[in-house]
């Protein structure tokens, strides 16, 4: 018997990430090739015509798994009964801006959407915030949604997966190993240049990759800055922020959360439970494994002095961002 369709809400549906994302969701790459989906597309009133155009293209793909779609400018409609919500819609940064420069401008969007999710989404809705600054926007949505007591705080996540995937590619290139052979990477903290891509535990076919590379200066002077500033490098090269790779990371994040990682680590930005000394509630990149639709933080990793310093640095930025949105949360 075929499965019942799952409602997937996507905000910013007329934007550049939306254009890369929606076709892959509809083709089954996110929730599985046997899972029908209904797309609930949110964008601003002036973008509704463009959303309709994207829907025409989706129709023209004749995706067998696309069981329906709606377009709306009303968050309460878009999130109604959604089991997955991808919060992409927000202003992207341009050249010379940091992601936190978007904070006050974009934060208001996530108070409204957090309230809509809290009231109308499926109580087990899995929420991924992509719109920047994504950790703090996820924090806002989570806090606001908690006022309604329906969708649990642990369901609000931010996207560190693009950083994770970027780091994997850099490590594969440096070590000469296939990207698919690399296991046990983590990117701690904020989706910003302060993030800490920690390759100390990475293995490839049983070999420790840090040992294979054996170049501490490369870690500090090349790897960490390259991964941390990759978003800016893309903006510089393309004149626009990353879109296809961001959509790909969103697909990976939800796919692995829903369908499981078979014991392997991925990075998710999740509300801290206090693990590794990160204050409870902050949305922070952690190594997780997932099973049956639940993530679990990988515990017991040794944190050396260099790592602790980097983890605290990125945490401090998140604490500052939280302070910056305190008034919005009342
Ligand atoms: N977390 C991550 O790794 C990444 C995050 N991003 C972020 O994703 C966001 C979207 O990027 P793009 O698609 O390139 O931008 P875009 O400008 O092409 O599209 C954004 C879309 O969101 C819509 N929008 C704006 N406010 C909205 C609201 N209140 N409700 C619903 N829709 C709204 C706009 O009308 C537009 O259609 C940006 O904040 C960008 O910085 C981008 C790449 C990676
Ligand atoms: O850099 C940006 O503004 C877009 C983004 O988050 C990324 O590409 O990592």
């Amino acid at each position: 018997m075929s499965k019942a369709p799952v409602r997937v809400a996507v905000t910013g549906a007329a934007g550049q990430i939306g254009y890369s994302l929606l076709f892959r969701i509809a083709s089954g790459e996110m929730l599985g090739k046997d899972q029908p989906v209904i797309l609930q597309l949110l964008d601003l009133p002036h973008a509704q015509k463009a959303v309709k155009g994207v829907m025409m293209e989706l129709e023209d793909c004749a995706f067998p798994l696309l069981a329906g779609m709606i377009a709306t400018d009303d968050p309460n409609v878009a999130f109604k009964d959604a089991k997955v919500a991808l919060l992409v819609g927000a202003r992207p940064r341009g050249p010379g801006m940091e992601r936190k420069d978007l904070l006050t401008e974009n934060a208001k969007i996530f108070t409204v959407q957090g309230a809509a999710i809290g009231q109308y989404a499926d109580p087990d809705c899995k929420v991924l915030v992509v719109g920047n600054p994504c950790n703090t926007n996820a924090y806002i949505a989570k806090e606001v949604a908690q006022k309604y007591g329906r969708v649990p705080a642990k369901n609000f996540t931010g996207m560190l997966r693009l950083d994770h995937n970027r780091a994997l590619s850099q490590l594969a290139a440096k070590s000469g190993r296939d990207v698919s052979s690399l296991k046990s990477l983590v990117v701690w903290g904020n989706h910003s240049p302060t993030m800490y891509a920690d390759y100390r535990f990475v293995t490839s076919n049983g070999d420790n990759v840090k040992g294979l590379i054996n170049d501490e200066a490369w870690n500090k002077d090349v790897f960490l800055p390259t991964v941390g500033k990759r978003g800016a490098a893309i903006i510089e090269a393309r004149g626009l922020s990353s879109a296809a790779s961001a959509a790909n990371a969103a697909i990976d994040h939800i796919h692995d959360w829903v369908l499981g990682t078979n014991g392997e680590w991925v990075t998710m930005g999740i509300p801290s439970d206090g693990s590794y000394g990160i204050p409870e509630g902050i949305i922070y990149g952690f190594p997780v494994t997932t099973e049956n639709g639940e993530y679990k933080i990988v515990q017991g990793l040794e944190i050396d002095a260099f790592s602790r310093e980097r983890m605290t640095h990125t945490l401090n930025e998140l604490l500052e961002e939280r302070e910056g949105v305190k008034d919005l949360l009342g």
Side-chain angles (χ1 to χ4, degrees):
M1 206 179 75
S2 66
K3 291 180 165 179
V6 163
R7 293 180 184 275
V8 178
V10 180
T11 78
Q16 48 153 8
I17 295 177
Y19 197 66
S20 287
L21 185 59
L22 296 171
F23 298 85
R24 295 186 61 189
I25 299 173
S27 74
E29 286 179 62
M30 185 172 82
L31 296 177
K33 295 284 183 187
D34 60 346
Q35 178 58 66
V37 293
I38 296 173
L39 292 173
Q40 305 192 154
L41 307 178
L42 180 72
D43 210 306
L44 298 173
H46 72 79
Q48 289 302 306
K49 187 168 167 222
V51 177
K52 296 274 163 34
V54 177
M55 289 168 78
M56 287 160 70
E57 285 206 66
L58 281 159
E59 269 172 29
D60 294 349
C61 295
F63 288 120
L65 292 171
L66 186 55
M69 40 182 174
I70 58 154
T72 178
D73 59 9
D74 181 348
N76 296 350
V77 173
F79 293 118
K80 179 97 179 70
D81 298 328
K83 268 195 177 295
V84 176
L86 298 168
L87 276 51
V88 178
R91 195 189 142 189
R93 69 174 166 151
M97 292 168 80
E98 273 314 333
R99 296 183 188 97
K100 69 179 170 198
D101 297 335
L102 300 169
L103 189 58
T104 42
E105 196 165 333
N106 284 340
K108 290 185 207 105
I109 297 174
F110 296 88
T111 57
V112 173
Q113 295 184 1
I117 291 169
Q119 293 172 88
Y120 302 109
D122 183 279
D124 190 34
C125 183
K126 289 180 162 53
V127 182
L128 170 63
V129 178
V130 174
N132 279 317
C134 65
N135 297 56
T136 297
N137 290 336
Y139 174 81
I140 294 168
K142 163 180 74 88
E143 291 294 304
V144 173
Q146 293 325 290
K147 295 179 183 153
Y148 305 95
R150 289 177 68 251
V151 183
K154 69 176 169 57
N155 286 25
F156 288 79
T157 67
M159 195 162 91
L160 269 289
R161 186 60 178 262
L162 181 53
D163 312 297
H164 183 100
N165 289 347
R166 285 168 172 164
L168 282 177
S169 273
Q170 296 297 321
L171 288 170
K174 179 69 178 172
S175 65
R177 296 293 177 100
D178 286 350
V179 79
S180 62
S181 75
L182 302 178
K183 315 280 180 223
S184 307
L185 172 73
V186 49
V187 183
W188 303 97
N190 198 7
H191 173 62
S192 90
T194 65
M195 74 185 80
Y196 171 42
D198 184 354
Y199 77 141
R200 294 174 302 142
F201 310 107
V202 177
T203 59
S204 163
N205 304 324
D207 300 323
N208 177 263
V209 165
K210 181 169 189 263
L212 282 179
I213 292 174
N214 192 23
D215 185 350
E216 199 39 44
W218 175 81
N219 181 37
K220 284 203 196 93
D221 302 337
V222 181
F223 177 59
L224 293 174
T226 301
V227 176
K229 294 185 192 149
R230 188 69 164 184
I234 306 270
I235 292 170
E236 175 61 29
R238 245 169 57 85
L240 289 167
S241 62
S242 355
S245 55
N248 179 67
I251 297 273
D252 284 350
H253 179 113
I254 297 290
H255 174 276
D256 288 353
W257 189 0
V258 172
L259 296 170
T261 61
N262 296 318
E264 291 191 4
W265 306 9
V266 290
T267 302
M268 287 173 69
I270 56 172
S272 175
D273 63 356
S275 293
Y276 296 102
I278 305 305
E280 230 171 282
I282 289 280
I283 306 278
Y284 193 90
F286 281 103
V288 300
T289 55
T290 66
E291 198 178 359
N292 301 324
E294 300 288 336
Y295 58 77
K296 224 184 335 180
I297 297 176
V298 176
Q299 298 291 346
L301 300 176
E302 189 212 320
I303 306 299
D304 60 18
F306 176 77
S307 301
R308 179 54 68 192
E309 193 223 303
R310 302 295 297 227
M311 287 167 70
T312 303
H313 181 53
T314 188
L315 169 65
N316 286 343
E317 184 180 46
L318 284 167
L319 293 173
E320 226 178 82
E321 289 181 17
R322 182 176 71 175
E323 191 60 25
V325 298
K326 202 174 60 188
D327 293 346
L328 263 182
L329 296 172

